[in-house]
Amino acid sequence: MDRQQQAAFLDSEREIHDLRFRLLDVRIGQIDRFDADEDFAAIVTKALECGLGKEELLAELPCSWSTVTRWASGQVKPARIARRAIKAKLIEMLGRKRSEHIEEARHLVAA
């Protein structure tokens, strides 16, 4: 890969990270506006769409993957106080993912 191709590649990578960063901002805002009692399935679904993976979620939430998928489908909901805590945890996790994208973009700029 010559210098021009390398520069074009890095520009593309920066653009991808910028788009991911912006999408996460939008999704975090959407999740934040959702009511934990009324829109719990949508909260979980949006978090999954943002790339929170099975391993990440299970490391942070005291439940099974089947429980997470039932939440996302709206089949079941945890208790009200738990819904609010889970919503806060998902927003926190997405904020960390957002920060990771910022760091990756900074490394690309430095390259």
Side-chain angles (χ1 to χ4, degrees):
M1 187 181 300
D2 67 20
R3 273 185 145 5
Q4 189 175 13
Q5 290 172 324
Q6 191 175 25
F9 174 78
L10 288 174
D11 285 343
S12 296
E13 287 293 308
R14 284 185 205 106
E15 188 174 333
I16 289 168
H17 285 288
D18 185 52
L19 290 171
R20 286 181 181 157
F21 167 78
R22 290 178 193 202
L23 178 61
L24 280 171
D25 270 351
V26 169
R27 295 290 192 198
I28 291 168
Q30 288 173 334
I31 291 170
D32 194 38
R33 287 188 296 278
F34 282 138
D35 181 86
D37 297 326
E38 299 296 320
D39 304 312
F40 190 72
I43 290 167
V44 176
T45 300
K46 293 287 183 198
L48 293 171
E49 288 173 357
C50 288
L52 289 182
K54 181 178 180 178
E55 292 78 21
E56 276 179 289
L57 288 168
L58 296 181
E60 302 259 353
L61 300 175
C63 64
S64 67
W65 180 245
S66 61
T67 299
V68 173
T69 60
R70 286 192 307 255
W71 291 342
S73 69
Q75 292 176 353
V76 295
K77 291 181 187 178
R80 174 177 281 164
I81 194 163
R83 287 191 298 262
R84 292 178 181 156
I86 292 165
K87 175 185 172 182
K89 176 56 82 175
L90 293 173
I91 289 172
E92 174 190 321
M93 292 171 72
L94 290 170
R96 287 195 310 254
K97 187 170 278 297
R98 180 182 173 271
S99 295
E100 290 169 11
H101 285 298
I102 292 170
E103 280 304 309
E104 289 174 16
R106 284 185 183 147
H107 288 295
L108 288 171
V109 169

